[in-house]
Amino acid sequence: MLPRIDGVIERVREYNPSSSERLLQKAYLFSAKAHKGQQRYNGEPYLVHPVAVADILAGLRADDIAIIAGLLHDVVEDNEDVSLDEIDRLFGKATAHIVDGVTKIDKHFPEKSRVEREWHAMRKVVLAMVDDVRVILVKLADRLHNLRTMDALPEHRRPVKALQTLEVYAPIAHRLGLGAMKSELEDLGFKYAYPDEFERLSRALKEKRSYSNSFAEETAGELKELLKELKTQGEIRWRIKHPYSIYVKLQRQGIGVEEVYDYMGFRIIVESVKDCYTVLGGIHGRLKPIPGRFRDFIALPKENHYRSLHTSVIGLHGHPFEIQIRTREMDEEAERGIAAHWRYKEGRMSSEDEARNTAWIRQLVEFKQDEASGGEFIHNLRVNLYPNEVYVFTPRGDVLSFPRGATPIDFAYSIHTDVGHHCIGAKINGKLETLKTVMKSGDRVEIITSANGKPSRDWLKIAVTNRALSKIRGWLNAREKARAIEIGRAALEKEFKRCKLNFKSLMKDGGLEEAMKRVSIQDMDSLQAAVGYGKISARNFAKRLQPQIEEEPPQTAKTRAEGAREPAVVVRGATDLLTTIAKCCKPIPGDEVIGFISRGRGLVIHRADCHSIRQASYNQDRFMEVEWAAPALPSADSEVHLLVVTEDKTGMVANITKIVADVKAPLRFINATVEKDEGNIRLDILVRDREHLNEVINKIAKIPGVKSLRRLNR
Ligand code: MN
């Protein structure tokens, strides 16, 4: 039985009232005649294919010319008796141009291999697309149907088509904003280009399915409740992200499927742009957002005009997931892209912003002259298709891709972890460059390593790929642990000495082991690390080893009070180490600070501009980057010393004391002297943090008569 065209015609009429049924019928009959007797690999009549392509085009709301070209797209290729001239005569120039664009055989190069022909054909399509975007729509529809029925194709012919789909056609669909088309092309391309990986991933996702369903239902329920609270109309949808996007993520981050958690996506469709932001605010108020994952594509649409709000949050059971918030119109646009804007003028589709949409295609014209260089064409095409990626060459000429902004550090880690850990610079296009240099497409990059090279915390600001970032973090954490062990060992040794404990005999009689067991610690390294990280105090541990001798009451009131007085400091990117606030410069929360490892006292926190620490700057290895803990942590007020220089005027002290009282910075000490017509007022006050101090300083500086103001170290 031959497939029928009626369904397609009906579909077209719904969105294009001026469609010509007569012409569509004529093209259908012409195609049926040209493909008569031909079969597809699966034994179906060949006509099934062009009709299916026409149907996909109708789904994209294409105009008659595109649909007719879809019906005729294979006739010239598959039937020697049909010529482009005939198509031109019967269906017009535009149709003939599209059919020519998607016709694979080049009668002038019959001897080319099949693979060569595939790439040659692709290039032809892209070039023809420059003149008429409908060429690529027909090609995409053709490719989509071929992939949907690819099981019927001999196995050895699948990978080339599948790879081309992933590398060229899916990205083109993406650039045109055809979201639904792109996802389907990617998943099918993935399935046939990497069958083993596809199989493995699909199985893993299936295993997660039952959990996913219950999670999704619970979460959807919660979101529905939120909408009700916000008095906002909205529709909630969820899906498991499509397999190829998960696969790309796994590849990029170098992780296994069991480590992927946000494989589920939620979408909330609301009525207005205002509602989008209302819902976003509501979500962030209820669920903890993941930093760095919020994107406002409404204020700043993507290059393909995609608009939506994206955020990732921690949901039920600590499970992260992504939410997209958009209006109905934006949703329509995201699925249909360029097709969402087609208006029908005299039956021919035209897009209001077709010129904008296809500007990037026009850039390809430049390469049209250069028809001889096929490799370069593909290279330029890729650069245009993936605007957010850069392609660079290894010294051996292999091409590696990176996100825009990537540096030689990313390059080094993509080669090997050890190359990354030891890289110190790079030669880019033969010229020596620093690790900070941002790579550009076409760069030839060679990494320079040194046995002494090692990662630094700054690299976390320079690298952009997740792979490099996680390797650098891993290395820094390992080093931090080594330092914690060193700090812990020193603290324990000091405490043992003070308590006159004999380490060796405690080892022998098992006293040490038993004490460790009681605090659930396995070995000496872990004990030292725990002390170094401040999880166990050396003093308390030593006490466990000498239970009878109660030297002083466990934790005197004084030590507790002092402990509480110290504001919390965290070592960047790691657990807290045992920290002390330096006495020489007395930093307060908000000050720029740096940690210095002192034997015995752990990590001492100094102000970054502290003089005493500058003298120790030869010892770079003992410095650590630190920052203040989140302000939510309660910490006692810190004392700061200020020197205010004023004109010799009465009432200055009174004005200053009034201000410190107003801003609630308790005054601890004040002393005023007059010298050479200048008043020197020294005051010690308690402040919460740097912000609080700035408030005090700003207000005092505004008092008429105040000439200068300085913070003193002591
Ligand atoms: Mn075809």
Side-chain angles (χ1 to χ4, degrees):
M1 253 253 304
L2 284 178
R4 298 165 61 100
I5 190 73
D6 313 29
V8 177
I9 290 173
E10 218 162 278
R11 229 176 147 177
V12 174
R13 205 183 285 135
E14 269 173 35
Y15 63 84
N16 184 7
S18 54
S19 158
S20 161
E21 184 179 341
R22 195 188 52 82
L23 263 180
L24 294 181
Q25 286 285 6
K26 183 175 154 194
Y28 169 76
L29 291 173
F30 188 91
S31 183
K33 210 171 120 203
H35 292 299
K36 195 174 175 197
Q38 294 173 0
Q39 283 188 345
R40 306 195 73 218
Y41 275 98
N42 57 10
E44 286 175 337
Y46 195 86
L47 192 62
V48 168
H49 172 63
V51 170
V53 169
D55 191 54
I56 292 170
L57 287 164
L60 295 173
R61 297 164 174 261
D63 63 6
D64 282 359
I65 290 177
I67 290 174
I68 290 168
L71 287 167
L72 302 177
H73 79 274
D74 275 333
V75 294
V76 177
E77 189 168 318
D78 292 345
N79 190 325
E80 287 191 347
D81 297 334
V82 178
S83 71
L84 281 170
D85 287 341
E86 193 178 357
I87 303 224
D88 188 340
R89 204 157 13 85
L90 291 171
F91 299 97
K93 212 176 183 51
T95 309
H97 175 71
I98 301 172
V99 172
D100 183 29
V102 298
T103 294
K104 217 179 302 166
I105 42 164
D106 211 316
K107 287 177 175 148
H108 308 291
F109 300 102
E111 74 281 11
K112 283 199 175 187
S113 77
R114 192 183 287 282
V115 173
E116 261 177 286
R117 278 217 319 259
E118 281 288 345
W119 287 101
H120 185 81
M122 191 207 73
R123 184 161 169 241
K124 198 174 158 196
V125 167
V126 174
L127 291 177
M129 171 174 86
V130 174
D131 300 321
D132 189 338
V133 74
R134 288 173 296 188
V135 174
I136 195 64
L137 293 183
V138 173
K139 185 65 209 181
L140 290 174
D142 175 36
R143 179 53 60 101
L144 182 59
H145 185 247
N146 281 336
L147 283 167
R148 281 179 183 169
T149 53
M150 198 169 245
D151 278 333
L153 201 69
E155 217 162 305
H156 70 276
R157 287 194 48 196
R158 296 175 191 172
V160 175
K161 275 190 197 293
L163 273 173
Q164 255 187 2
T165 305
L166 289 179
E167 296 202 336
V168 179
Y169 293 119
I172 288 176
H174 175 66
R175 282 304 298 256
L176 293 171
L178 305 167
M181 165 83 83
K182 173 211 160 204
S183 297
E184 194 179 350
L185 285 173
E186 279 185 346
D187 283 345
L188 289 167
F190 175 36
K191 179 175 169 188
Y192 293 109
Y194 308 103
D196 295 345
E197 285 88 339
F198 177 81
E199 194 48 47
R200 216 174 306 139
L201 186 63
S202 306
R203 219 178 306 125
L205 289 175
K206 211 172 273 171
E207 276 166 26
K208 292 189 177 196
R209 184 150 300 160
S210 70
Y211 171 71
S212 307
N213 282 333
S214 66
F215 173 80
E217 271 159 33
E218 259 182 276
T219 304
E222 199 175 354
L223 293 174
K224 213 169 272 170
E225 196 133 300
L226 177 72
L227 288 178
K228 214 189 270 168
E229 257 172 48
L230 297 169
K231 297 193 174 55
T232 304
Q233 291 287 323
E235 182 194 331
I236 293 154
R237 299 182 198 159
W238 67 273
R239 75 208 146 92
I240 291 187
K241 289 183 183 170
H242 72 280
Y244 187 67
S245 69
I246 298 176
Y247 175 71
V248 167
K249 186 169 189 167
L250 297 180
Q251 293 296 96
R252 202 165 277 165
Q253 305 189 354
I255 55 175
V257 65
E258 63 288 343
E259 290 172 78
V260 173
Y261 293 108
D262 56 347
Y263 56 90
M264 223 180 296
F266 286 78
R267 189 173 294 164
I268 304 181
I269 313 285
V270 293
E271 302 296 324
S272 68
V273 172
K274 191 172 148 262
D275 286 351
C276 291
Y277 291 99
T278 307
V279 170
L280 176 78
I283 287 169
H284 282 183
R286 182 182 275 230
L287 299 164
K288 198 181 170 72
I290 299 171
R293 296 287 297 272
F294 168 61
R295 296 266 184 287
D296 185 346
F297 295 122
I298 294 179
L300 298 164
K302 282 194 191 180
E303 268 181 278
N304 64 9
H305 307 300
Y306 175 84
R307 290 181 302 156
S308 194
L309 298 177
H310 288 193
T311 187
S312 288
V313 295
I314 307 288
L316 302 158
H317 325 300
H319 185 121
F321 64 93
E322 188 188 70
I323 305 183
Q324 303 173 345
I325 308 162
R326 50 172 87 147
T327 63
R328 222 159 271 289
E329 187 198 346
M330 293 174 195
D331 190 52
E332 166 93 345
E333 228 176 80
E335 297 294 312
R336 289 183 195 279
I338 188 173
H341 286 297
W342 279 321
R343 302 284 176 270
Y344 283 88
K345 285 177 196 149
E346 292 135 28
R348 190 238 192 269
M349 59 199 193
S350 69
S351 170
E352 286 162 359
D353 39 28
E354 187 176 320
R356 256 203 316 161
N357 259 313
T358 55
W360 62 276
I361 304 176
R362 311 229 155 248
Q363 289 171 14
L364 292 170
V365 183
E366 296 164 30
F367 310 119
K368 205 171 175 177
Q369 284 99 28
D370 198 29
E371 293 211 17
S373 158
E376 198 174 316
F377 177 82
I378 300 290
H379 175 72
N380 283 322
L381 178 64
R382 292 176 64 134
V383 171
N384 274 283
L385 286 178
Y386 302 89
N388 296 317
E389 295 193 8
V390 291
Y391 293 88
V392 297
F393 294 97
T394 68
R396 277 175 35 210
D398 294 332
V399 178
L400 298 179
S401 73
F402 293 94
R404 199 160 282 279
T407 60
I409 295 179
D410 297 296
F411 187 102
Y413 278 102
S414 80
I415 294 171
H416 193 278
T417 305
D418 276 341
V419 176
H421 285 343
H422 295 289
C423 69
I424 53 167
K427 261 190 192 165
I428 298 181
N429 305 323
K431 224 181 113 213
L432 213 55
E433 303 279 5
T434 68
L435 292 175
K436 278 187 192 163
T437 314
V438 170
M439 302 186 293
K440 296 185 303 301
S441 269
D443 279 349
R444 195 188 170 79
V445 181
E446 191 179 337
I447 296 297
I448 299 163
T449 59
S450 151
N452 297 326
K454 57 177 192 270
S456 83
R457 207 155 273 282
D458 289 339
W459 287 16
L460 293 175
K461 290 177 210 143
I462 300 170
V464 302
T465 55
N466 286 314
R467 181 185 162 80
L469 290 170
S470 78
K471 296 287 181 194
I472 296 164
R473 258 183 229 120
W475 190 92
L476 290 169
N477 287 344
R479 186 185 60 165
E480 220 145 70
K481 187 172 180 203
R483 285 175 160 182
I485 288 175
E486 194 189 332
I487 292 169
R489 180 190 302 132
L492 283 166
E493 270 170 15
K494 197 174 145 202
E495 197 56 34
F496 274 40
K497 212 188 243 169
R498 202 180 65 83
C499 301
K500 301 192 175 61
L501 288 168
N502 187 316
F503 181 75
K504 271 187 193 155
S505 64
L506 279 165
M507 279 280 267
K508 240 183 226 158
D509 68 15
L512 193 62
E513 202 180 329
E514 201 174 303
M516 289 203 291
K517 223 182 256 164
R518 263 183 279 141
V519 288
S520 344
I521 276 185
Q522 313 296 327
D523 54 35
M524 205 52 205
D525 268 5
S526 315
L527 173 66
Q528 290 167 345
V531 172
Y533 280 128
K535 287 177 190 149
I536 292 178
S537 105
R539 177 164 296 192
N540 285 345
F541 186 77
K543 235 169 257 150
R544 290 177 179 280
L545 294 166
Q546 31 152 226
Q548 301 88 349
I549 315 158
E550 199 84 3
E551 257 190 5
E552 41 186 298
Q555 283 226 331
T556 62
K558 187 168 170 267
T559 49
R560 199 181 294 136
E562 269 180 359
R565 281 208 40 168
E566 301 238 308
V569 177
V570 290
V571 175
R572 204 169 287 170
T575 356
D576 307 48
L577 286 164
L578 183 64
T579 57
T580 332
I581 299 294
K583 295 214 166 52
C584 52
C585 54
K586 294 190 187 157
I588 59 170
D591 278 340
E592 209 176 300
V593 283
I594 187 144
F596 184 76
I597 299 171
S598 79
R599 289 187 199 275
R601 272 195 304 150
L603 192 63
V604 182
I605 309 303
H606 292 263
R607 264 153 67 184
D609 55 0
C610 171
H611 288 288
S612 69
I613 199 169
R614 246 181 239 164
Q615 288 158 9
S617 62
Y618 59 88
N619 210 339
Q620 278 300 331
D621 251 21
R622 306 194 75 83
F623 285 104
M624 291 187 84
E625 279 187 46
V626 294
E627 60 193 19
W628 297 97
L633 288 175
S635 65
D637 291 348
S638 318
E639 193 175 39
V640 294
H641 318 298
L642 295 175
L643 181 68
V644 188
V645 179
T646 68
E647 289 166 12
D648 182 11
K649 222 167 128 175
T650 51
M652 294 308 297
V653 171
N655 284 335
I656 289 170
T657 49
K658 181 175 180 307
I659 279 173
V660 297
D662 282 353
V663 301
K664 298 197 173 58
L667 187 65
R668 281 307 201 67
F669 172 84
I670 187 159
N671 178 41
T673 56
V674 180
E675 212 175 290
K676 290 184 206 151
D677 300 338
E678 258 183 4
N680 282 305
I681 302 171
R682 148 88 187 226
L683 66 154
D684 297 348
I685 52 172
L686 294 180
V687 292
R688 281 189 307 277
D689 52 21
R690 184 59 183 247
E691 211 179 310
H692 193 195
L693 175 62
N694 287 345
E695 193 187 349
V696 177
I697 290 176
N698 290 336
K699 290 206 163 137
I700 292 179
K702 280 194 193 123
I703 299 175
V706 167
K707 289 162 95 175
S708 71
L709 194 151
R710 193 147 61 89
R711 180 171 167 193
L712 302 172
N713 282 343
R714 53 182 74 225

Short mmCIF file of all heavy atoms in Angstrom, two decimals, residues 78-105:
data_model
loop_
_atom_site.label_atom_id
_atom_site.label_comp_id
_atom_site.label_asym_id
_atom_site.label_seq_id
_atom_site.Cartn_x
_atom_site.Cartn_y
_atom_site.Cartn_z
N ASP A 78 17.43 9.65 -7.40
CA ASP A 78 17.08 8.24 -7.55
C ASP A 78 16.50 7.87 -8.91
O ASP A 78 16.25 6.69 -9.16
CB ASP A 78 16.07 7.85 -6.45
CG ASP A 78 16.71 7.87 -5.07
OD1 ASP A 78 17.96 7.92 -5.02
OD2 ASP A 78 15.98 7.87 -4.08
N ASN A 79 16.24 8.84 -9.74
CA ASN A 79 15.67 8.51 -11.04
C ASN A 79 16.38 9.28 -12.14
O ASN A 79 16.26 10.50 -12.24
CB ASN A 79 14.17 8.83 -11.04
CG ASN A 79 13.48 8.27 -12.28
OD1 ASN A 79 14.06 8.24 -13.38
ND2 ASN A 79 12.24 7.83 -12.11
N GLU A 80 17.13 8.54 -12.96
CA GLU A 80 17.96 9.18 -13.99
C GLU A 80 17.15 9.97 -15.00
O GLU A 80 17.67 10.88 -15.64
CB GLU A 80 18.77 8.11 -14.73
CG GLU A 80 19.90 7.57 -13.88
CD GLU A 80 20.86 6.72 -14.70
OE1 GLU A 80 20.51 6.38 -15.85
OE2 GLU A 80 21.94 6.40 -14.19
N ASP A 81 15.86 9.60 -15.15
CA ASP A 81 15.06 10.26 -16.17
C ASP A 81 14.52 11.61 -15.72
O ASP A 81 13.95 12.36 -16.51
CB ASP A 81 13.87 9.37 -16.57
CG ASP A 81 14.38 8.07 -17.20
OD1 ASP A 81 15.50 8.10 -17.76
OD2 ASP A 81 13.68 7.04 -17.09
N VAL A 82 14.67 11.92 -14.41
CA VAL A 82 14.15 13.19 -13.92
C VAL A 82 15.30 14.19 -13.82
O VAL A 82 16.35 13.89 -13.27
CB VAL A 82 13.49 13.02 -12.54
CG1 VAL A 82 12.99 14.37 -12.02
CG2 VAL A 82 12.35 12.02 -12.61
N SER A 83 15.06 15.38 -14.38
CA SER A 83 16.12 16.40 -14.32
C SER A 83 15.64 17.60 -13.52
O SER A 83 14.44 17.80 -13.31
CB SER A 83 16.50 16.84 -15.72
OG SER A 83 15.43 17.60 -16.26
N LEU A 84 16.60 18.41 -13.07
CA LEU A 84 16.27 19.63 -12.34
C LEU A 84 15.47 20.59 -13.22
O LEU A 84 14.59 21.30 -12.75
CB LEU A 84 17.54 20.30 -11.85
CG LEU A 84 18.15 19.68 -10.59
CD1 LEU A 84 19.53 20.27 -10.34
CD2 LEU A 84 17.25 19.92 -9.38
N ASP A 85 15.80 20.57 -14.53
CA ASP A 85 15.08 21.45 -15.45
C ASP A 85 13.59 21.14 -15.43
O ASP A 85 12.75 22.04 -15.45
CB ASP A 85 15.61 21.26 -16.88
CG ASP A 85 16.99 21.88 -17.03
OD1 ASP A 85 17.33 22.73 -16.17
OD2 ASP A 85 17.72 21.50 -17.96
N GLU A 86 13.29 19.85 -15.39
CA GLU A 86 11.89 19.45 -15.39
C GLU A 86 11.19 19.97 -14.13
O GLU A 86 10.06 20.45 -14.18
CB GLU A 86 11.80 17.92 -15.47
CG GLU A 86 10.41 17.43 -15.79
CD GLU A 86 10.34 15.91 -15.91
OE1 GLU A 86 11.41 15.26 -15.79
OE2 GLU A 86 9.24 15.39 -16.09
N ILE A 87 11.87 19.85 -13.00
CA ILE A 87 11.30 20.33 -11.74
C ILE A 87 11.10 21.83 -11.81
O ILE A 87 10.06 22.35 -11.39
CB ILE A 87 12.23 19.96 -10.56
CG1 ILE A 87 12.42 18.46 -10.56
CG2 ILE A 87 11.69 20.53 -9.25
CD1 ILE A 87 12.33 17.77 -9.28
N ASP A 88 12.08 22.51 -12.34
CA ASP A 88 12.00 23.95 -12.51
C ASP A 88 10.75 24.31 -13.33
O ASP A 88 9.96 25.17 -12.97
CB ASP A 88 13.28 24.42 -13.21
CG ASP A 88 13.39 25.94 -13.25
OD1 ASP A 88 12.35 26.60 -13.10
OD2 ASP A 88 14.50 26.45 -13.43
N ARG A 89 10.57 23.58 -14.43
CA ARG A 89 9.46 23.85 -15.34
C ARG A 89 8.13 23.57 -14.66
O ARG A 89 7.19 24.36 -14.74
CB ARG A 89 9.62 22.97 -16.59
CG ARG A 89 8.92 23.51 -17.81
CD ARG A 89 9.50 22.97 -19.14
NE ARG A 89 10.40 21.83 -19.08
CZ ARG A 89 10.02 20.54 -19.06
NH1 ARG A 89 8.77 20.22 -19.06
NH2 ARG A 89 10.94 19.58 -19.03
N LEU A 90 8.03 22.45 -13.94
CA LEU A 90 6.76 22.03 -13.36
C LEU A 90 6.44 22.71 -12.02
O LEU A 90 5.29 22.97 -11.70
CB LEU A 90 6.73 20.52 -13.16
CG LEU A 90 6.68 19.68 -14.44
CD1 LEU A 90 6.88 18.21 -14.11
CD2 LEU A 90 5.34 19.89 -15.16
N PHE A 91 7.48 22.98 -11.21
CA PHE A 91 7.22 23.46 -9.84
C PHE A 91 7.91 24.78 -9.49
O PHE A 91 7.78 25.26 -8.38
CB PHE A 91 7.63 22.39 -8.82
CG PHE A 91 6.87 21.10 -8.99
CD1 PHE A 91 7.42 20.05 -9.69
CD2 PHE A 91 5.59 20.96 -8.46
CE1 PHE A 91 6.72 18.87 -9.85
CE2 PHE A 91 4.89 19.78 -8.62
CZ PHE A 91 5.45 18.72 -9.32
N GLY A 92 8.66 25.31 -10.45
CA GLY A 92 9.25 26.63 -10.20
C GLY A 92 10.71 26.58 -9.79
O GLY A 92 11.24 25.55 -9.37
N LYS A 93 11.33 27.75 -9.90
CA LYS A 93 12.77 27.88 -9.68
C LYS A 93 13.15 27.57 -8.23
O LYS A 93 14.13 26.88 -7.95
CB LYS A 93 13.18 29.32 -10.02
CG LYS A 93 14.57 29.43 -10.57
CD LYS A 93 14.87 30.88 -10.96
CE LYS A 93 16.25 31.01 -11.58
NZ LYS A 93 16.51 30.06 -12.68
N ALA A 94 12.36 28.12 -7.28
CA ALA A 94 12.70 27.96 -5.87
C ALA A 94 12.72 26.49 -5.48
O ALA A 94 13.63 26.02 -4.79
CB ALA A 94 11.70 28.73 -5.01
N THR A 95 11.71 25.74 -5.94
CA THR A 95 11.65 24.32 -5.63
C THR A 95 12.87 23.60 -6.22
O THR A 95 13.49 22.77 -5.54
CB THR A 95 10.35 23.71 -6.21
OG1 THR A 95 9.25 24.51 -5.78
CG2 THR A 95 10.17 22.29 -5.73
N ALA A 96 13.19 23.95 -7.45
CA ALA A 96 14.34 23.30 -8.10
C ALA A 96 15.63 23.60 -7.33
O ALA A 96 16.48 22.72 -7.16
CB ALA A 96 14.46 23.77 -9.54
N HIS A 97 15.73 24.83 -6.85
CA HIS A 97 16.94 25.20 -6.08
C HIS A 97 17.07 24.36 -4.82
O HIS A 97 18.15 23.88 -4.46
CB HIS A 97 16.88 26.69 -5.72
CG HIS A 97 18.02 27.13 -4.83
ND1 HIS A 97 19.31 27.24 -5.29
CD2 HIS A 97 18.05 27.45 -3.50
CE1 HIS A 97 20.09 27.63 -4.28
NE2 HIS A 97 19.35 27.78 -3.19
N ILE A 98 15.95 24.15 -4.13
CA ILE A 98 15.99 23.36 -2.89
C ILE A 98 16.35 21.91 -3.21
O ILE A 98 17.21 21.30 -2.57
CB ILE A 98 14.65 23.43 -2.13
CG1 ILE A 98 14.32 24.89 -1.78
CG2 ILE A 98 14.69 22.58 -0.87
CD1 ILE A 98 12.93 25.09 -1.20
N VAL A 99 15.70 21.37 -4.23
CA VAL A 99 15.95 19.97 -4.59
C VAL A 99 17.42 19.80 -4.99
O VAL A 99 18.09 18.86 -4.58
CB VAL A 99 15.01 19.51 -5.72
CG1 VAL A 99 15.41 18.11 -6.22
CG2 VAL A 99 13.57 19.50 -5.24
N ASP A 100 17.93 20.76 -5.72
CA ASP A 100 19.34 20.71 -6.10
C ASP A 100 20.23 20.71 -4.86
O ASP A 100 21.16 19.92 -4.74
CB ASP A 100 19.67 21.90 -7.00
CG ASP A 100 21.11 21.84 -7.49
OD1 ASP A 100 21.64 20.71 -7.62
OD2 ASP A 100 21.72 22.91 -7.72
N GLY A 101 19.89 21.58 -3.92
CA GLY A 101 20.70 21.70 -2.70
C GLY A 101 20.80 20.40 -1.92
O GLY A 101 21.83 20.11 -1.34
N VAL A 102 19.72 19.63 -1.90
CA VAL A 102 19.74 18.41 -1.09
C VAL A 102 20.05 17.17 -1.92
O VAL A 102 20.04 16.05 -1.39
CB VAL A 102 18.41 18.20 -0.33
CG1 VAL A 102 18.17 19.35 0.64
CG2 VAL A 102 17.25 18.05 -1.28
N THR A 103 20.31 17.35 -3.21
CA THR A 103 20.62 16.19 -4.03
C THR A 103 22.09 15.83 -3.87
O THR A 103 22.96 16.66 -4.07
CB THR A 103 20.30 16.46 -5.51
OG1 THR A 103 18.88 16.61 -5.62
CG2 THR A 103 20.75 15.32 -6.39
N LYS A 104 22.29 14.60 -3.46
CA LYS A 104 23.62 14.18 -3.09
C LYS A 104 24.54 13.99 -4.28
O LYS A 104 25.66 14.45 -4.28
CB LYS A 104 23.53 12.88 -2.29
CG LYS A 104 24.54 12.80 -1.18
CD LYS A 104 24.40 11.50 -0.40
CE LYS A 104 23.02 11.33 0.19
NZ LYS A 104 22.75 9.98 0.67
N ILE A 105 24.05 13.29 -5.29
CA ILE A 105 25.00 12.96 -6.34
C ILE A 105 25.40 14.18 -7.12
O ILE A 105 24.61 15.06 -7.40
CB ILE A 105 24.50 11.93 -7.38
CG1 ILE A 105 23.06 12.22 -7.77
CG2 ILE A 105 24.77 10.54 -6.95
CD1 ILE A 105 22.67 11.49 -9.05
#
